Amino acid sequence: MAGEHSSPQGDGQDGRPAPVDEEQGWELYARATSGDDPDGRAARAWADWRRLSPAHETIARRIESVWSDADALAVEVADRPAEGRQRRAAVVLKALAASVLAAAVIGYGALATRGHWQGAIRSLTHDVATGVGERRELLLADGSRMMLDAASAVDLAMAGERRDVILARGRLLVDVARDPDRPFTVTAGTVRAMVLGTSFTVERRPSGTVSVAVLRGRVQVAVPHERPEDPGRYPLGPGDRLTFGHGDVALDRIDPDRIAAWTRGVLLIDGRRLDDAVAMIDAYRGGASFIPEADLAGMRVSASLNLDGGGDAALDRLAAALGLVAHHLPGGPVVITRR
């Protein structure tokens, strides 16, 4: 395998700071300023995120600046609270203004300082990464086979006694070549799955949630509990799925045939939040999607989508099935609203 090394980049390993997930910052800010946060949880989540590090605070200020400029560009449809079609027009217009300004900030602001430029370079230096709509199968140095989903990235350490994969983003399926002397590990954020020989998937979502599901064999999954140095361990067998997010562990069962459906071009969505489901589809299209209304973003949805027609068509079918509208804006962004 090309690009193998023993010290993966950009994941907070060996004392190096992990890169800031700017996409997560945009999502948290949108929820905090949606006007639909009665208990203040979204506002607190945004405040907690920006306090994580000086780099988070810098990006938070840039996000606020871009959205403030979008406010200045967006045209007020009416003096009274907009309703129906007028309200949706105002939402779409502001999202378009924000997307244009964000593109300007990312496209030109990144060139303005050396630090931003180096950050962009680091984000591209994973050993293997797939593009929008691309799935790739790999034969690893130990004989294991790995399939990467669209918009995914991994770092590899397969030399000597190590068989380690770092999932930086996206989703993978690995069919592990058995080797009793060298456990095979996949790490996604603070979750680590370890096996000797089996077939399983690991997904790392933009929200930070990680899931592990087993097709065959057994997998030992370690997740942090109250203290990062004191992880909990969960043995999983065929059809078992573990989901870890925001400090909580959820265990459920799933048909093993459904676990790898994405490798056959079928996207299965099982009771996920709409914004999470849309993020999955965005991996197969050339732009980001926005759901300005918090109650829509948090709606639980289930669907089976064929991806042969492309991500845009899949997104349109999902929106139509839910009675929603996907507004396609110039350059790729999509805003999802009620009809």
Side-chain angles (χ1 to χ4, degrees), residues 1 4-6 141-142 156-164 182:
M1 293 292 297
E4 293 180 3
H5 56 70
S6 59
D142 69 330
L156 307 170
M158 305 296 293
E161 297 182 355
R162 300 185 62 181
R163 293 199 297 170
D164 300 334
R182 291 196 303 163

Side-chain angles (χ1 to χ4, degrees), residues 1 4 128 137-147 154 156 158 163-165 173-177 184:
M1 293 292 297
E4 293 180 3
V128 184
E137 186 173 6
L138 306 167
L139 178 62
L140 303 183
D142 69 330
S144 298
R145 292 187 176 276
M146 183 168 65
M147 173 77 81
V154 295
L156 307 170
M158 305 296 293
R163 293 199 297 170
D164 300 334
V165 175
L173 182 150
V174 62
D175 193 351
V176 179
F184 190 107

Side-chain angles (χ1 to χ4, degrees), residues 250-334:
L251 297 170
D252 66 350
R253 297 280 298 169
I254 180 172
D255 185 340
D257 288 338
R258 294 172 61 85
I259 293 173
W262 59 269
T263 66
R264 303 187 295 271
V266 177
L267 190 62
L268 296 178
I269 301 169
D270 296 317
R272 297 201 183 194
R273 287 173 55 100
L274 179 57
D275 53 2
D276 192 16
V278 166
M280 295 171 66
I281 299 173
D282 280 347
Y284 289 86
R285 39 181 311 277
S289 299
F290 304 91
I291 309 175
E293 298 182 56
D295 60 333
L296 285 186
M299 181 172 61
R300 296 287 174 177
V301 299
S302 295
S304 176
L305 300 171
N306 191 313
L307 296 168
D308 289 344
D312 284 323
L315 185 59
D316 288 340
R317 289 197 300 272
L318 178 63
L322 298 173
L324 307 175
V325 179
H327 305 271
H328 292 261
L329 306 178
V334 170

Side-chain angles (χ1 to χ4, degrees), residues 16-334:
R16 289 172 293 190
V20 177
D21 187 345
E22 186 166 350
E23 181 179 344
Q24 183 183 37
W26 274 99
E27 178 181 352
L28 291 172
Y29 181 73
R31 291 180 181 175
T33 58
S34 67
D36 186 12
D37 184 26
D39 58 3
R41 290 181 61 185
R44 290 193 295 273
W46 165 245
D48 291 342
W49 185 87
R50 69 185 304 163
R51 284 196 296 265
L52 287 175
S53 72
H56 283 78
E57 176 61 26
T58 297
I59 289 178
R61 291 179 181 179
R62 185 163 75 239
I63 290 172
E64 290 175 335
S65 175
V66 170
W67 199 253
S68 176
D69 289 343
D71 270 328
L73 287 179
V75 177
E76 293 296 331
V77 176
D79 292 334
R80 63 184 182 280
E83 297 180 358
R85 183 175 299 175
Q86 289 182 327
R87 182 169 180 269
R88 291 193 296 273
V91 166
V92 172
L93 181 58
K94 181 169 179 178
L96 173 59
S99 67
V100 171
L101 288 165
V105 169
I106 294 170
Y108 298 102
L111 298 176
T113 66
R114 183 180 180 187
H116 284 308
W117 177 250
Q118 290 175 332
I121 293 296
R122 281 195 298 270
S123 72
L124 299 175
T125 55
H126 298 293
D127 286 342
V128 184
T130 53
V132 173
E134 176 191 9
R135 291 188 299 272
R136 188 185 308 177
E137 186 173 6
L138 306 167
L139 178 62
L140 303 183
D142 69 330
S144 298
R145 292 187 176 276
M146 183 168 65
M147 173 77 81
L148 281 183
D149 200 0
S152 300
V154 295
D155 291 301
L156 307 170
M158 305 296 293
E161 297 182 355
R162 300 185 62 181
R163 293 199 297 170
D164 300 334
V165 175
I166 305 294
L167 179 61
R169 63 176 180 269
R171 178 162 53 180
L172 62 79
L173 182 150
V174 62
D175 193 351
V176 179
R178 186 168 181 79
D179 187 342
D181 297 325
R182 291 196 303 163
F184 190 107
T185 66
V186 176
T187 302
T190 57
V191 176
R192 173 167 293 187
M194 182 175 68
V195 301
L196 296 176
T198 188
S199 182
F200 67 106
T201 66
V202 181
E203 178 184 3
R204 186 174 183 179
R205 305 174 192 171
S207 62
T209 297
V210 174
S211 67
V212 180
V214 182
L215 281 79
R216 65 175 184 272
R218 301 196 67 80
V219 177
Q220 180 92 321
V221 180
V223 303
H225 274 188
E226 294 182 358
R227 299 186 304 276
E229 65 271 20
D230 183 25
R233 298 187 181 276
Y234 297 84
L236 304 181
D240 288 338
R241 178 170 58 186
L242 178 147
T243 303
F244 178 78
H246 308 293
D248 297 322
V249 174
L251 297 170
D252 66 350
R253 297 280 298 169
I254 180 172
D255 185 340
D257 288 338
R258 294 172 61 85
I259 293 173
W262 59 269
T263 66
R264 303 187 295 271
V266 177
L267 190 62
L268 296 178
I269 301 169
D270 296 317
R272 297 201 183 194
R273 287 173 55 100
L274 179 57
D275 53 2
D276 192 16
V278 166
M280 295 171 66
I281 299 173
D282 280 347
Y284 289 86
R285 39 181 311 277
S289 299
F290 304 91
I291 309 175
E293 298 182 56
D295 60 333
L296 285 186
M299 181 172 61
R300 296 287 174 177
V301 299
S302 295
S304 176
L305 300 171
N306 191 313
L307 296 168
D308 289 344
D312 284 323
L315 185 59
D316 288 340
R317 289 197 300 272
L318 178 63
L322 298 173
L324 307 175
V325 179
H327 305 271
H328 292 261
L329 306 178
V334 170

